[in-house]
Every structure is written in C-alpha cells, then in structure tokens.
Amino acid sequence: MPTVNHMASQLHLSPKYMTDLLKQETGKTALELIHLYVISEAKNMLVGGSRSISEIAYQLGFETHRTLLGCSKKKLV
C-alpha cells in the first residue's frame, strides 16, 4: 500500500505539507485518502475479476487479507 511519505516524495512535497494541503482542500488527511483509494481499488478488483480477496490484498501491498479487511471496516463504520 502506498505511504504518505512515498506519495509526497513522488510529488516532490514534504509529507506534512502534502497532508496539510489535502486536509485543507478535502477535509481528509493524506492517509485517509490513500485508504479510501485502496479500498475503492479493492472493490473494483473484486467486482470485475476472478481473483480472491487474498490475491487482491497482496497486489495492493497488504501482508494479509485481514489487514485489507480491517482497513476497509474502519472506513465503512
């Protein structure tokens, strides 16, 4: 899963500045936006393909499917 540091580095921004900017523009932190993106990607992969949740979790950078499920559960509550 992408990290805030990785995303900020790709954009040539400091992690704090990127997080502050995103929070100001969207009301969400960079980490929240990354989690929402990953969850959206996982849902698209589940609906549109024949891969298992474990395969999708691994492809998205999670060590286990339980980590992906825990991340999605927190965002859905």
Side-chain angles (χ1 to χ4, degrees):
M1 179 166 78
T3 64
V4 173
N5 287 339
H6 175 75
M7 298 301 290
S9 170
Q10 294 296 308
L11 296 170
H12 305 288
L13 300 171
S14 75
K16 172 138 178 52
Y17 178 73
M18 185 183 80
T19 296
D20 290 347
L21 185 63
L22 288 169
K23 181 76 170 183
Q24 180 182 346
E25 293 295 320
T26 68
K28 297 185 184 321
T29 66
L31 189 57
E32 288 174 314
L33 291 168
I34 290 169
H35 285 172
L36 290 172
Y37 172 77
V38 169
I39 292 165
S40 175
E41 285 296 302
K43 286 191 317 190
N44 290 338
M45 289 177 181
L46 282 168
V47 171
S50 59
R51 288 175 280 182
S52 71
I53 186 78
S54 294
E55 291 171 315
I56 291 169
Y58 181 76
Q59 183 177 349
L60 292 173
F62 292 91
E63 290 185 25
T64 70
H65 70 281
R66 287 190 173 104
T67 311
L68 172 60
L69 293 174
C71 178
S72 63
K73 184 183 271 188
K74 287 178 192 174
K75 297 302 171 197
L76 296 175
V77 172

